[in-house]
Amino acid sequence: MKAAARADSPRALLAFQRTLQRAITQPLGPGDRTRRTTAALAKEFIRPNDRLTALERIEIYNRMYWFRLIDCFYDDNPGLRAALGERKFERLMRAYLAKNPSRSFTLRNLCDRLERFIRAEPRWTAPRTALAADIAAFEWAQTCAFDEAAKPALTAADFAGTPPSRLKLALQPHITLLALRYPVDDYVIAVKKRDALRAEASNATGQAKTAKAVKKVSVPRAARTHLAVHRADNRLFYKRLDPAPFRILGALRDGAPLTRAVAAGGRSVKPEQVQAWFALWTELGWLCRRAT
Amino acid sequence: MPANAFNGHTDYGIGIGLRVPHYSHILERKPDVAWFEIISENFMVGGGRPLEVLDQILEQYRVVQHGVSMYFGSADKPDRTHLKKLKALVKRTKTPWLSDHLCWGSTDGRYTHDLLPMPYTFAAAKKTAEKIRMVRDFLEVPICVENVSSYAEFHASEMTEWEFLTEVTERADCGILLDVNNIYVSSKNHSFDPYDYINGVPAHRVGQMHIAGHTKFEKYILDTHDHPVLDPVWKLYTHATKRCGVTATLLEWDDRIPSFDEVHNEALKANAFIAEAKEAAK
C-alpha cells in the first residue's frame, strides 16, 4: 500500500484526504459516471464488497458531490439559466465549478466568483456575455442582500448633531451597487414569476405541457441601469438610481469622506438634490458609520 | 443517561429539526415542541431573515446547534474565522451542547460539502481528538460527535467504526451523538451487525440520538432523510435506549419535507419505543 493510502500518521492522513478529495471532486464523465481512470486509485484506497467495486463506491461520493453543487448552482441562478438556455447554462456551470471549487464552509458562497468568471471566459456565454455577467452580478447581490449584516442605521438626528466634515459614513453591508448594461432587475423578476406560474400550472394539472405554455420572457435590450440591491424589513428590494446619486453612494461605499463623495456626484448636482438623496437614504436605513 | 456532562446536564426529550418550510407554522401557531435542532451553518450569517426567525424561535423554544462543516476529521487545522462565527452563534442560542460529525470533508481550504468517512486508524483518531478538544476549548460548550452513514470502507482502517468512535471520544473526552439510522445504513452497506455497534460504544458518553428515514437502492442504502423512520431503525433505537438510557432524541427530515404535524408526529413515535425500552429494562 502506498503511503497516501495508509493514513497512519498526520502527514499520511493529509495525503490520504488530498488524494481522495481530488478523486471525489473530479468532473464526472459521460453519463454522469466516474471516469474509468480513477479505477486504480479507487482499488488502492477502497475495499470492494459483494455488491460494489471500489470504483462504484467512490462513484457514489463523486456523483453526490457534483449533484449537490449543480442543485445549488441552479437554485442560485434562475435568471442566468433563462437567458442562456439549458445547454449553454449547463456548460457554463460545469466549466465554472471545475475551476472554482467551493472555498467556503457554506454553499451560499458557491457563485461569488461567477460574474468574474463569465467576464474572464466569454466563450461560455457568447454572444450574451455582457448580459450574462450583469445577471450573475445581480443574482449574487440578492444573496448578499438576503443575509449580510445590517449595522445600526444613521438617523436624521445623527446628521443634525455632527458637522459634515466629521461624519464618517459607509453603506450597509447588505447593499450592492450595480452599474449594469442591461435592466436585468425587471428581467429576473419576470423569470421568477414565470417559473412560479409554471410550477403552479404543473402542480395544478400534473401536465408539463400546460406549464410550458406559460409566456416566454424575452431577454432585455441594452439600457444603462444603475441599481442598488438591498434589504428592508428583511425583504429584498431593488432600487433604480440616477447616475449622480449612484456615484455618491459608490464613493461612500469605497470609504470616501462625505465632501469628496458628494463631489463625485458631479458639478451639475444641486445642494437641494444632495439633501433630498441623503434624506431618502437615511429613511431607507442605507447609511451607517464607517468602521475606524 | 438522560442528563450528562456531554449534553450540558439537560433532559430535553424528543425534538425536531428547524426547517424553512415550517417557519410560518411554528411562528404563527406556536406548537408544543420540546426543542429544535438548528443547522448552525444556516445561521452563521451577518443578519437578515435567518437571524430574525432564529431570535423569534429562541424567545419560545429550546434550541440545540448541530453543525455540518466542522470536519473534525480533516487533517487541516480548524478555520479561525469559522470558529469565531460559530462562537457568536453559540452565545446567541445558548445551546447546552453542540454536535457535529465524525468525518472529514475539506482539504487545503476546498470544501466537498459532504460528510466523508474516516480511515479508522490510530493516527486519525489521535488527530481528530486533538481537533475536538481545540474546538471545545474555543467554543466553551460540550461537544457530541455524530457517527456518519457511509458508502465506502478503506484498506487503511485498523479497527471497526465503533472502535474508532470510542477511541476518538475517549481521547477527546467528548460526547456522542448516536445516529441510529446511520448505524443501520452503514451496517447494510458494510455488512456488519448494527447491534454490535451499539453494544460497542461507551454508553455513558451518549448525549443525544438521531433518528431518520433512508432509501434502499439495489446495491446500497442511502441516508436520504426523506422518509419516516423504518421499523428496523426503531428496533435499533429501542435497543440503544435500553443500553444508554432515555436520551435527547431528534428526528431528521431534510428532503421532501411534509407538514409540520407529520414530522412532529413521526418524532413523537419515539415515546412508544422509549416506553418499550423502559419496560424491557425493568
Side-chain angles (χ1 to χ4, degrees), chain A residues 143-214:
Chain A
T143 300
C144 297
F146 179 69
D147 60 13
E148 280 290 348
K151 294 183 176 174
L154 286 176
T155 64
D158 293 320
F159 281 99
T162 318
S165 60
R166 292 188 59 189
L167 275 172
K168 289 182 176 173
L169 301 181
L171 279 193
Q172 290 286 3
H174 61 77
I175 299 176
T176 305
L177 300 175
L178 297 171
L180 305 165
R181 283 176 60 182
Y182 292 85
V184 297
D185 49 344
D186 287 345
Y187 175 69
V188 173
I189 290 167
V191 167
K192 284 186 175 176
K193 273 188 188 160
R194 180 207 60 186
D195 290 350
L197 281 173
R198 270 187 184 169
E200 214 171 278
S202 193
N203 286 342
T205 62
Q207 289 175 3
K209 240 184 191 176
T210 318
K212 274 187 182 170
V214 177

Coordinates of all heavy atoms in Angstrom, one line a residue, chain A residues 143-214:
Chain A
T143 N -28.2 37.4 -3.0 CA -27.7 36.5 -1.9 C -27.2 37.4 -0.8 O -27.5 37.2 0.4 CB -26.6 35.6 -2.4 OG1 -27.2 34.7 -3.4 CG2 -26.1 34.7 -1.3
C144 N -26.4 38.4 -1.2 CA -25.8 39.3 -0.2 C -26.9 40.1 0.6 O -26.8 40.3 1.8 CB -24.8 40.3 -0.8 SG -23.4 39.4 -1.6
A145 N -27.8 40.6 -0.2 CA -28.9 41.4 0.4 C -29.7 40.5 1.4 O -30.2 41.1 2.4 CB -29.8 42.0 -0.6
F146 N -29.8 39.3 1.1 CA -30.6 38.4 2.0 C -30.1 38.3 3.4 O -30.9 38.3 4.4 CB -30.7 37.0 1.3 CG -31.6 36.0 2.1 CD1 -32.9 36.2 2.3 CD2 -30.9 34.9 2.7 CE1 -33.7 35.3 3.0 CE2 -31.7 34.0 3.5 CZ -33.0 34.2 3.6
D147 N -28.8 38.1 3.5 CA -28.3 37.8 4.9 C -27.0 38.4 5.3 O -26.4 38.0 6.3 CB -28.2 36.2 5.1 CG -27.2 35.6 4.1 OD1 -26.4 36.3 3.5 OD2 -27.2 34.4 4.0
E148 N -26.5 39.4 4.5 CA -25.4 40.2 5.0 C -25.8 41.0 6.2 O -27.0 41.3 6.4 CB -24.8 41.1 3.9 CG -23.9 40.4 2.9 CD -22.6 39.9 3.4 OE1 -22.2 40.3 4.6 OE2 -21.9 39.1 2.7
A149 N -24.8 41.5 7.0 CA -25.1 42.2 8.2 C -25.8 43.6 7.9 O -25.7 44.1 6.8 CB -23.8 42.5 8.9
A150 N -26.6 44.0 8.9 CA -27.1 45.4 8.9 C -26.6 46.1 10.1 O -26.9 45.6 11.3 CB -28.6 45.4 8.9
K151 N -25.8 47.1 10.0 CA -25.3 47.9 11.1 C -26.3 48.9 11.6 O -27.3 49.2 10.8 CB -24.0 48.5 10.7 CG -22.9 47.5 10.4 CD -21.6 48.3 10.1 CE -20.5 47.3 9.9 NZ -19.2 48.0 9.4
P152 N -26.2 49.4 12.8 CA -27.1 50.5 13.2 C -27.2 51.6 12.2 O -26.1 52.1 11.8 CB -26.6 50.9 14.5 CG -25.8 49.8 15.0 CD -25.2 49.1 13.8
A153 N -28.4 51.9 11.7 CA -28.5 52.9 10.7 C -28.4 54.3 11.2 O -28.9 54.6 12.4 CB -29.9 52.7 10.0
L154 N -27.8 55.2 10.5 CA -27.7 56.6 10.9 C -29.1 57.2 10.8 O -29.8 57.0 9.8 CB -26.7 57.4 10.1 CG -25.2 57.0 10.4 CD1 -24.3 57.8 9.5 CD2 -24.9 57.4 11.8
T155 N -29.4 58.1 11.7 CA -30.7 58.8 11.7 C -30.5 60.2 11.3 O -29.4 60.7 11.3 CB -31.4 58.7 13.1 OG1 -30.6 59.4 14.0 CG2 -31.6 57.2 13.5
A156 N -31.6 60.9 11.1 CA -31.5 62.4 10.8 C -30.9 63.1 12.0 O -30.1 64.0 11.8 CB -32.9 62.9 10.6
A157 N -31.1 62.6 13.2 CA -30.6 63.2 14.4 C -29.0 63.1 14.4 O -28.3 64.0 14.8 CB -31.1 62.6 15.7
D158 N -28.5 62.0 13.9 CA -27.1 61.8 13.8 C -26.5 62.9 12.9 O -25.4 63.4 13.2 CB -26.7 60.4 13.3 CG -27.1 59.3 14.3 OD1 -26.9 59.5 15.5 OD2 -27.6 58.3 13.8
F159 N -27.2 63.1 11.8 CA -26.7 64.1 10.8 C -26.7 65.5 11.4 O -25.8 66.3 11.3 CB -27.5 64.1 9.5 CG -27.1 62.9 8.6 CD1 -27.8 61.8 8.6 CD2 -26.0 63.0 7.8 CE1 -27.4 60.7 7.8 CE2 -25.6 62.0 7.0 CZ -26.3 60.8 7.0
A160 N -27.8 65.8 12.1 CA -28.0 67.1 12.7 C -27.0 67.4 13.7 O -26.6 68.6 13.9 CB -29.5 67.2 13.3
G161 N -26.6 66.4 14.5 CA -25.7 66.7 15.6 C -24.2 66.6 15.3 O -23.4 66.8 16.2
T162 N -23.8 66.3 14.0 CA -22.4 66.2 13.7 C -22.1 67.1 12.5 O -22.8 67.0 11.5 CB -22.1 64.7 13.3 OG1 -22.8 63.8 14.2 CG2 -20.6 64.4 13.3
P163 N -21.0 67.8 12.6 CA -20.6 68.6 11.4 C -20.2 67.7 10.2 O -19.6 66.6 10.5 CB -19.3 69.3 11.9 CG -19.2 69.1 13.3 CD -20.1 68.0 13.7
P164 N -20.6 68.0 9.0 CA -20.3 67.2 7.8 C -18.9 66.7 7.7 O -18.6 65.5 7.4 CB -20.7 68.0 6.6 CG -21.6 69.1 7.2 CD -21.2 69.3 8.6
S165 N -17.9 67.5 8.1 CA -16.5 67.1 8.0 C -16.1 66.0 8.9 O -15.2 65.3 8.7 CB -15.6 68.3 8.3 OG -15.9 68.8 9.6
R166 N -16.9 65.8 10.0 CA -16.6 64.7 11.0 C -17.4 63.5 10.8 O -17.2 62.5 11.5 CB -16.8 65.3 12.4 CG -15.8 66.3 12.7 CD -15.9 66.7 14.2 NE -15.7 65.6 15.1 CZ -15.9 65.6 16.4 NH1 -16.3 66.7 17.0 NH2 -15.6 64.6 17.1
L167 N -18.4 63.5 9.8 CA -19.2 62.3 9.5 C -18.4 61.3 8.7 O -17.9 61.6 7.7 CB -20.4 62.7 8.7 CG -21.6 63.2 9.5 CD1 -22.7 63.8 8.5 CD2 -22.2 62.1 10.4
K168 N -18.3 60.1 9.3 CA -17.6 59.0 8.6 C -18.7 58.0 8.2 O -19.1 57.2 9.0 CB -16.5 58.4 9.4 CG -15.4 59.4 9.6 CD -14.3 58.8 10.4 CE -13.1 59.7 10.5 NZ -12.0 59.3 11.4
L169 N -19.1 58.1 6.9 CA -20.2 57.3 6.5 C -19.8 56.0 5.7 O -18.8 56.0 5.1 CB -21.1 58.1 5.6 CG -21.7 59.4 6.2 CD1 -22.6 60.1 5.2 CD2 -22.5 59.1 7.5
A170 N -20.7 55.1 5.8 CA -20.5 53.9 5.0 C -21.9 53.4 4.6 O -22.9 53.8 5.1 CB -19.8 52.8 5.8
L171 N -21.8 52.5 3.6 CA -23.1 51.9 3.2 C -23.3 50.6 4.0 O -22.4 49.9 4.4 CB -23.1 51.5 1.7 CG -23.3 52.5 0.7 CD1 -23.5 51.9 -0.7 CD2 -24.5 53.4 1.0
Q172 N -24.6 50.2 4.2 CA -24.9 49.0 4.9 C -24.2 47.8 4.1 O -24.3 47.8 2.9 CB -26.4 48.8 4.9 CG -27.1 49.7 5.9 CD -26.9 49.4 7.3 OE1 -26.1 48.5 7.7 NE2 -27.5 50.1 8.2
P173 N -23.7 46.8 4.8 CA -23.0 45.7 4.1 C -24.0 44.9 3.2 O -23.5 44.3 2.3 CB -22.5 44.8 5.3 CG -22.4 45.8 6.5 CD -23.5 46.8 6.3
H174 N -25.3 45.0 3.5 CA -26.2 44.2 2.6 C -26.5 44.9 1.3 O -27.2 44.3 0.5 CB -27.5 43.9 3.4 CG -28.3 45.1 3.8 ND1 -29.0 45.8 3.0 CD2 -28.4 45.7 5.0 CE1 -29.6 46.8 3.6 NE2 -29.2 46.7 4.9
I175 N -26.0 46.1 1.1 CA -26.3 46.8 -0.1 C -25.2 46.6 -1.2 O -24.1 46.7 -0.9 CB -26.4 48.3 0.1 CG1 -27.5 48.6 1.1 CG2 -26.7 49.1 -1.2 CD1 -27.6 50.1 1.5
T176 N -25.7 46.2 -2.4 CA -24.7 46.1 -3.5 C -25.1 47.1 -4.6 O -26.3 47.2 -4.9 CB -24.8 44.7 -4.1 OG1 -24.5 43.7 -3.1 CG2 -23.7 44.6 -5.2
L177 N -24.2 47.9 -5.0 CA -24.4 48.9 -6.1 C -24.0 48.2 -7.4 O -22.9 47.7 -7.5 CB -23.6 50.2 -5.9 CG -24.0 50.9 -4.6 CD1 -23.0 52.1 -4.4 CD2 -25.4 51.4 -4.6
L178 N -24.8 48.3 -8.4 CA -24.5 47.7 -9.7 C -24.7 48.7 -10.8 O -25.8 49.2 -11.0 CB -25.4 46.5 -9.9 CG -25.3 45.3 -8.9 CD1 -26.5 44.3 -9.2 CD2 -24.0 44.6 -9.0
A179 N -23.6 48.9 -11.6 CA -23.7 49.7 -12.8 C -23.8 48.6 -14.0 O -22.9 48.0 -14.3 CB -22.5 50.5 -13.0
L180 N -25.0 48.5 -14.5 CA -25.3 47.4 -15.5 C -25.5 47.9 -16.9 O -25.9 49.1 -17.1 CB -26.6 46.7 -15.0 CG -26.6 46.1 -13.6 CD1 -28.0 45.8 -13.1 CD2 -25.6 45.0 -13.5
R181 N -25.3 47.1 -17.9 CA -25.6 47.4 -19.3 C -27.0 47.0 -19.6 O -27.5 47.4 -20.7 CB -24.5 46.7 -20.2 CG -23.2 47.5 -20.2 CD -22.2 46.7 -21.0 NE -22.6 46.6 -22.4 CZ -21.8 46.0 -23.3 NH1 -20.7 45.4 -23.0 NH2 -22.3 45.9 -24.6
Y182 N -27.6 46.2 -18.8 CA -28.9 45.7 -19.1 C -29.8 45.9 -17.9 O -29.3 45.7 -16.8 CB -28.9 44.2 -19.5 CG -28.2 44.0 -20.8 CD1 -26.9 43.8 -20.9 CD2 -29.0 43.9 -22.0 CE1 -26.2 43.5 -22.1 CE2 -28.4 43.6 -23.2 CZ -27.0 43.4 -23.3 OH -26.4 43.2 -24.5
P183 N -31.1 46.1 -18.1 CA -32.0 46.2 -17.0 C -32.4 44.8 -16.5 O -33.6 44.4 -16.7 CB -33.2 47.0 -17.6 CG -33.2 46.7 -19.0 CD -31.8 46.4 -19.4
V184 N -31.5 44.2 -15.9 CA -31.7 42.8 -15.5 C -32.6 42.6 -14.3 O -33.1 41.5 -14.1 CB -30.4 42.0 -15.3 CG1 -29.5 42.0 -16.5 CG2 -29.6 42.6 -14.1
D185 N -32.9 43.7 -13.6 CA -33.8 43.5 -12.4 C -35.2 43.1 -12.9 O -35.8 42.1 -12.4 CB -33.8 44.8 -11.6 CG -34.0 46.1 -12.4 OD1 -33.9 46.0 -13.6 OD2 -34.4 47.1 -11.8
D186 N -35.7 43.9 -13.8 CA -37.0 43.5 -14.4 C -37.1 42.1 -15.0 O -38.0 41.4 -14.9 CB -37.5 44.6 -15.4 CG -37.8 45.9 -14.8 OD1 -38.0 45.9 -13.6 OD2 -37.9 46.9 -15.5
Y187 N -36.0 41.8 -15.7 CA -35.9 40.5 -16.4 C -35.9 39.4 -15.4 O -36.7 38.4 -15.5 CB -34.6 40.5 -17.2 CG -34.4 39.1 -17.9 CD1 -35.2 38.7 -18.9 CD2 -33.4 38.3 -17.5 CE1 -35.1 37.5 -19.5 CE2 -33.2 37.0 -18.1 CZ -34.1 36.6 -19.1 OH -33.9 35.4 -19.6
V188 N -35.1 39.5 -14.4 CA -35.0 38.3 -13.4 C -36.4 38.2 -12.6 O -36.8 37.1 -12.4 CB -33.8 38.5 -12.4 CG1 -33.8 37.4 -11.3 CG2 -32.5 38.4 -13.2
I189 N -37.0 39.3 -12.3 CA -38.3 39.3 -11.6 C -39.3 38.6 -12.5 O -40.0 37.7 -12.1 CB -38.8 40.7 -11.3 CG1 -37.9 41.3 -10.2 CG2 -40.2 40.7 -10.8 CD1 -38.1 42.8 -9.9
A190 N -39.3 38.9 -13.8 CA -40.2 38.3 -14.8 C -39.9 36.8 -14.9 O -40.9 36.0 -14.9 CB -40.1 39.0 -16.1
V191 N -38.7 36.4 -14.9 CA -38.3 35.0 -15.0 C -38.8 34.2 -13.8 O -39.4 33.1 -13.9 CB -36.8 34.8 -15.1 CG1 -36.4 33.3 -14.9 CG2 -36.3 35.3 -16.5
K192 N -38.6 34.8 -12.6 CA -39.1 34.2 -11.3 C -40.6 34.0 -11.3 O -41.1 33.0 -10.9 CB -38.6 34.9 -10.1 CG -37.1 34.7 -9.9 CD -36.7 35.4 -8.6 CE -35.2 35.1 -8.2 NZ -34.8 35.8 -7.1
K193 N -41.3 35.1 -11.8 CA -42.8 35.0 -11.8 C -43.2 33.9 -12.8 O -44.1 33.1 -12.5 CB -43.3 36.3 -12.3 CG -43.5 37.3 -11.2 CD -44.3 38.5 -11.7 CE -44.3 39.6 -10.6 NZ -44.6 40.9 -11.2
R194 N -42.5 33.8 -13.9 CA -42.9 32.8 -14.9 C -42.6 31.4 -14.3 O -43.5 30.5 -14.5 CB -42.0 33.0 -16.2 CG -42.3 32.0 -17.3 CD -41.1 31.7 -18.2 NE -40.0 31.2 -17.4 CZ -38.8 31.1 -17.9 NH1 -38.6 31.4 -19.2 NH2 -37.8 30.6 -17.2
D195 N -41.5 31.2 -13.7 CA -41.2 29.9 -13.1 C -42.2 29.5 -12.1 O -42.6 28.4 -12.0 CB -39.8 29.9 -12.5 CG -38.7 30.0 -13.5 OD1 -39.0 29.8 -14.7 OD2 -37.5 30.2 -13.2
A196 N -42.6 30.5 -11.3 CA -43.6 30.2 -10.2 C -45.0 29.8 -10.9 O -45.6 28.9 -10.4 CB -43.8 31.5 -9.4
L197 N -45.3 30.5 -12.0 CA -46.6 30.2 -12.7 C -46.5 28.8 -13.3 O -47.4 28.0 -13.2 CB -46.8 31.2 -13.8 CG -47.4 32.5 -13.4 CD1 -47.5 33.5 -14.5 CD2 -48.8 32.3 -12.8
R198 N -45.3 28.5 -13.8 CA -45.1 27.2 -14.4 C -45.3 26.1 -13.4 O -45.9 25.1 -13.6 CB -43.7 27.0 -15.0 CG -43.6 27.5 -16.4 CD -42.2 27.2 -16.9 NE -42.0 27.6 -18.3 CZ -40.9 27.7 -18.9 NH1 -39.8 27.3 -18.3 NH2 -40.8 28.1 -20.2
A199 N -44.7 26.3 -12.2 CA -44.7 25.3 -11.2 C -46.2 25.1 -10.7 O -46.7 24.0 -10.5 CB -43.9 25.7 -10.0
E200 N -46.9 26.3 -10.6 CA -48.3 26.3 -10.2 C -49.1 25.5 -11.2 O -49.9 24.6 -10.8 CB -48.8 27.7 -10.1 CG -49.8 27.9 -9.0 CD -50.1 29.4 -8.9 OE1 -49.3 30.1 -8.2 OE2 -51.0 29.9 -9.5
A201 N -48.9 25.8 -12.5 CA -49.7 25.1 -13.6 C -49.4 23.6 -13.6 O -50.3 22.8 -13.7 CB -49.3 25.8 -14.9
S202 N -48.1 23.3 -13.4 CA -47.7 21.9 -13.4 C -48.3 21.2 -12.2 O -48.8 20.0 -12.4 CB -46.1 21.9 -13.4 OG -45.7 20.6 -13.7
N203 N -48.3 21.8 -11.1 CA -48.8 21.2 -9.9 C -50.4 21.0 -10.0 O -50.9 20.0 -9.6 CB -48.6 22.0 -8.6 CG -47.1 21.9 -8.2 OD1 -46.4 21.0 -8.6 ND2 -46.6 22.9 -7.4
A204 N -51.0 22.0 -10.6 CA -52.4 22.0 -10.7 C -52.9 20.9 -11.6 O -53.9 20.3 -11.4 CB -53.0 23.4 -11.1
T205 N -52.3 20.8 -12.7 CA -52.8 19.9 -13.8 C -52.0 18.6 -13.9 O -52.5 17.6 -14.5 CB -52.7 20.6 -15.1 OG1 -51.3 20.8 -15.4 CG2 -53.5 21.9 -15.2
G206 N -50.8 18.6 -13.3 CA -49.9 17.5 -13.5 C -49.4 17.3 -14.9 O -48.9 16.2 -15.3
Q207 N -49.6 18.3 -15.7 CA -49.1 18.2 -17.1 C -48.0 19.3 -17.4 O -48.2 20.5 -17.2 CB -50.3 18.5 -18.0 CG -51.3 17.3 -18.0 CD -52.5 17.6 -18.9 OE1 -52.6 18.6 -19.5 NE2 -53.4 16.7 -18.9
A208 N -46.9 18.8 -17.8 CA -45.8 19.7 -18.2 C -46.2 20.6 -19.3 O -45.7 21.8 -19.4 CB -44.6 18.9 -18.5
K209 N -47.0 20.2 -20.2 CA -47.4 21.0 -21.4 C -48.0 22.3 -21.0 O -47.7 23.3 -21.5 CB -48.5 20.2 -22.2 CG -48.1 19.9 -23.6 CD -49.2 19.2 -24.3 CE -48.7 18.6 -25.6 NZ -49.8 17.9 -26.3
T210 N -48.9 22.2 -20.0 CA -49.6 23.4 -19.5 C -48.5 24.4 -18.9 O -48.6 25.6 -19.1 CB -50.6 23.1 -18.4 OG1 -51.3 21.9 -18.8 CG2 -51.5 24.2 -18.2
A211 N -47.6 23.8 -18.2 CA -46.5 24.6 -17.6 C -45.7 25.3 -18.7 O -45.3 26.5 -18.5 CB -45.7 23.8 -16.7
K212 N -45.5 24.6 -19.8 CA -44.6 25.2 -20.8 C -45.4 26.3 -21.5 O -44.8 27.2 -22.1 CB -44.3 24.1 -21.8 CG -43.0 23.3 -21.4 CD -42.6 22.4 -22.5 CE -41.4 21.6 -22.1 NZ -41.1 20.5 -23.1
A213 N -46.7 26.3 -21.5 CA -47.5 27.3 -22.2 C -47.4 28.6 -21.5 O -47.8 29.6 -22.1 CB -48.9 26.8 -22.3
V214 N -46.9 28.7 -20.3 CA -46.7 30.0 -19.6 C -45.8 30.8 -20.5 O -44.8 30.4 -21.0 CB -46.2 29.8 -18.2 CG1 -45.9 31.2 -17.6 CG2 -47.1 29.0 -17.4

